[in-house]
Amino acid sequence: MEQNEKQRGPRTHRFLIFGFSFLLTLLLIWLLRFILSDMGRLPGPNYEDIERKYVEQGLMVQLETLRKAQQSIATQINAQREIQSILQNSMDNSKQTMEQLLEMHRLKLERNIRPTEVEQTSLAESEALFLNNQKKFQEANEQIAQLSEQQRSLQQQSEELSTQIEDKRNPARDEYQHLSNKHSLKVASLKLAFLIPMLLVAAWFVIKKRGRAYAPFIYSTFIATFWTTGVVMHEYFPREFF
């Protein structure tokens, strides 16, 4: 029993070797992922370049012009509604003033007292201001109606143009997806071309040198390479294939 324990080494040493091997495995995985990340930076297809082949630039400019026109009309409608809000407040004040002046006139007439010229002038001015604001309020209503009609027309044109552009984008998306798949396969091939030889070498060392003192470090290299290879395959290949 003592001889077997001496051959295997003290438990503390074995624990330290196991711990260092585990840390080495993590460091090797990190190193491999760092190296592979450079391979993953290979430039792939550019969707905007592909889209320009199928969608005329004039259509995009036209759509942008329509959207800006819609935004401009929306701003004008909001401005007219703000004007209406101000006019409404003014009309409410004028109406309240007229009601007060009319009530004063009624009370004086009941007492056979003739309203003063100033009171009559104030009533006439309040009535004129109310009618003027009411006219402006109605003009703002008409302006909003016209702008809303223009906005509906622009919205319809924008939707029709958007549908036309979307139909032209479908083949662009198909081509982009096809090129992206080819690019992913190329990147995966480069990564596996780097990993698989390392994995085979590590497996050979595991088989041939597993009885040596430095066998745990060989195992760490094999595990790190095997793990990274599996991650790359899972990342780039379809799940059914993987």
Side-chain angles (χ1 to χ4, degrees), residues 2 15 37 74 81 90 94 106 111 120 125 132 163 181 189 209 216 222:
E2 291 181 0
F15 178 78
S37 66
R81 284 175 177 162
S90 179
S94 298
R106 187 184 64 79
R111 298 174 185 176
Q120 292 178 358
E125 289 176 350
N132 186 50
T163 301
N181 292 338
S189 299
K209 308 293 183 179
F222 174 77

Side-chain angles (χ1 to χ4, degrees), residues 7-188:
Q7 288 177 352
R8 295 177 60 188
R11 291 183 179 178
T12 304
H13 291 180
R14 282 183 282 142
F15 178 78
L16 289 175
I17 290 173
F18 175 80
F20 286 133
S21 300
F22 179 74
L23 290 177
L24 178 61
T25 303
L26 296 180
L27 288 174
L28 288 173
I29 291 174
W30 175 83
L31 177 61
L32 290 172
R33 296 293 291 176
F34 179 77
I35 295 172
L36 294 176
S37 66
D38 288 335
M39 298 181 182
R41 294 193 183 101
L42 289 174
N46 187 291
Y47 178 76
E48 293 180 356
D49 293 338
I50 297 173
E51 185 181 90
R52 278 193 285 268
K53 290 168 51 180
Y54 294 90
V55 182
E56 296 86 347
Q57 196 63 24
L59 294 178
M60 300 301 297
V61 173
Q62 186 178 350
L63 180 61
E64 184 64 23
T65 301
L66 288 172
R67 287 175 175 172
K68 287 181 179 179
Q70 286 179 270
Q71 292 174 358
S72 176
I73 290 177
T75 302
Q76 294 178 56
I77 291 175
N78 290 334
Q80 292 297 322
R81 284 175 177 162
E82 289 178 5
I83 291 173
Q84 281 188 322
S85 178
I86 296 171
L87 291 172
Q88 186 65 53
N89 290 333
S90 179
M91 286 190 296
D92 291 341
N93 292 333
S94 298
K95 184 178 179 181
Q96 186 177 2
T97 301
M98 283 192 302
E99 289 175 350
Q100 292 173 353
L101 290 172
L102 286 171
E103 181 65 18
M104 290 175 58
H105 283 202
R106 187 184 64 79
L107 292 174
K108 284 189 175 184
L109 291 174
E110 287 178 355
R111 298 174 185 176
N112 293 323
I113 301 174
R114 183 180 177 82
T116 64
E117 186 176 346
V118 174
E119 291 173 342
Q120 292 178 358
T121 303
S122 297
L123 179 59
E125 289 176 350
S126 296
E127 184 179 3
L129 180 61
F130 178 82
L131 293 175
N132 186 50
N133 287 338
Q134 194 175 48
K135 180 181 178 181
K136 290 180 179 178
F137 189 91
Q138 185 59 33
E139 289 175 351
N141 257 344
E142 293 174 358
Q143 186 70 15
I144 290 174
Q146 293 176 5
L147 291 171
S148 298
E149 183 62 29
Q150 294 178 26
Q151 191 177 45
R152 281 191 292 271
S153 176
L154 290 173
Q155 179 66 26
Q156 183 178 358
Q157 294 178 47
S158 179
E159 289 176 356
E160 291 175 355
L161 190 58
S162 296
T163 301
Q164 182 181 352
I165 291 174
E166 196 64 23
D167 290 340
K168 291 177 177 292
R169 278 177 174 163
N170 288 331
R173 293 193 185 99
D174 292 339
E175 181 176 342
Y176 175 76
Q177 186 63 45
H178 174 69
L179 294 176
S180 295
N181 292 338
K182 287 181 64 176
H183 177 261
S184 296
L185 184 60
K186 179 180 178 181
V187 173

